[in-house]
Amino acid sequence: MEKSHELELTQMRKLVEKLGFSTERYGDPTFMRFLIARSMDTDKASKMFVQWLKWRSSLVPNGFIAESEVPDQLEARKIYLQGLSRAGYPVMIVQACKHYPPKDHLQFKKFVVYLLDKTIASSVKGRETGNEKLIGVLDFQNITYKNVDARGLITGFQFLQAYFPERLAKCYILNMPRFFVSVWKMVSRFIEKATLEKIVILTNEDEKKTFIEEIGEEAVPVEYGGKANLRAIQDVEVPPLEG
């Protein structure tokens, strides 16, 4: 950790404890994510951290979301968890044509947590460091109006921003149809500038080649020009995080 940040980290721990929460379970890399997300403002970062703790204990009281809590969402087999990218980030693929706006919004929120938790855990060997990142791929191939779920997309990005700060390394959007552009413009209004800068919308073959090169063909499925097999997230065994 850089010396220059030791002061902010110490200050943030004190502020979190002042707000009535223990900090001993969390290492500097975790606090650093919240500080970066709040432009190194210790006051804002500590409030964000406490909000995260409260949210987590309310929505995820057992510390993880069990598959039995999200059966409807898993049934569609629309999320895939690939291996690690060249940079060592796990790759999660969403096939939007298999998604429909959920009737049970609470289950959908839990599903978003299940996906992000499991994707992050898949890159961890043993104990979590706290600064692990992931790559998201949103594939809009073959979607129709029935698959459009602006609320679901907004929920996903808002969860990433508020409760998984600095976890997103990059998000690639593939095969966006023309009719979806207006939906995306509306969704984008709910996405912070720092997150928008990590989103790449692929529009031509050169960009697709770059996408395969950046992730690495060993992690990119055959369907997208790589060498890997698609693996539904529920079929991937991930050891539980230690600590």
Side-chain angles (χ1 to χ4, degrees):
M1 197 59 63
E2 288 176 38
K3 272 258 169 34
S4 58
H5 297 318
E6 279 176 19
L7 189 67
E8 284 100 332
L9 287 161
T10 307
Q11 203 178 351
M12 184 175 164
R13 283 183 186 275
K14 282 179 183 167
L15 287 166
V16 169
E17 278 159 16
K18 208 172 172 182
L19 290 163
F21 292 83
S22 168
T23 62
E24 60 189 45
R25 278 188 58 204
Y26 305 96
D28 287 349
T30 297
F31 288 109
M32 203 62 209
R33 285 192 295 109
F34 286 84
L35 279 164
I36 292 166
R38 288 296 171 261
S39 309
M40 302 310 289
D41 182 319
T42 50
D43 195 39
K44 285 180 181 171
S46 51
K47 281 177 183 159
M48 184 188 191
F49 183 79
V50 166
Q51 280 300 113
W52 169 69
L53 287 176
K54 287 178 178 173
W55 167 82
R56 195 92 202 169
S57 65
S58 155
L59 190 69
V60 198
N62 301 325
F64 67 96
I65 300 289
E67 293 190 350
S68 58
E69 295 178 72
V70 289
D72 306 345
Q73 291 297 321
L74 283 172
E75 196 184 350
R77 296 178 76 83
K78 58 191 168 187
I79 312 289
Y80 301 88
L81 180 53
Q82 302 306 117
L84 303 182
S85 72
R86 285 182 196 273
Y89 305 136
V91 179
M92 180 182 77
I93 298 173
V94 180
Q95 289 192 342
C97 66
K98 296 176 183 173
H99 173 80
Y100 296 93
K103 292 182 178 74
D104 182 342
H105 287 284
L106 179 60
Q107 185 182 142
F108 180 73
K109 285 177 179 178
K110 287 184 174 184
F111 185 59
V112 173
V113 177
Y114 163 83
L115 299 177
L116 296 175
D117 276 2
K118 188 165 182 178
T119 301
I120 291 159
S122 73
S123 70
V124 175
K125 306 255 184 298
R127 201 174 174 81
E128 183 186 359
T129 309
N131 59 356
E132 295 84 0
K133 291 179 185 284
L134 61 94
I135 290 173
V137 178
L138 294 178
D139 177 15
F140 289 118
Q141 181 90 45
N142 298 328
I143 65 162
T144 67
Y145 288 99
K146 286 179 181 172
N147 305 115
V148 174
D149 183 14
R151 182 177 173 178
L153 264 177
I154 291 164
T155 298
F157 281 108
Q158 286 186 334
F159 273 26
L160 267 172
Q161 288 170 175
Y163 308 124
F164 293 83
E166 294 300 309
R167 286 295 201 190
L168 184 66
K170 216 159 195 180
C171 175
Y172 295 94
I173 296 181
L174 279 55
N175 306 308
M176 187 187 286
R178 197 168 287 167
F179 81 83
F180 198 82
V181 173
S182 55
V183 179
W184 179 250
K185 276 184 181 161
M186 192 267 285
V187 168
S188 304
R189 291 187 201 140
F190 294 86
I191 304 175
E192 291 166 10
K193 185 171 173 280
T195 306
L196 280 172
E197 285 169 358
K198 295 173 185 173
I199 299 171
V200 181
I201 299 172
L202 304 185
T203 56
N204 59 48
E205 283 306 308
D206 284 348
E207 287 173 359
K208 198 176 173 187
K209 273 182 196 158
T210 307
F211 154 76
I212 296 165
E213 279 164 20
E214 283 180 6
I215 292 180
E217 55 183 18
E218 300 304 322
V220 174
V222 173
E223 290 84 344
Y224 300 98
K227 291 180 174 176
N229 292 320
L230 274 173
R231 302 188 305 173
I233 193 162
Q234 59 264 56
D235 298 343
V236 180
E237 283 197 29
V238 173
L241 289 178
E242 294 171 14

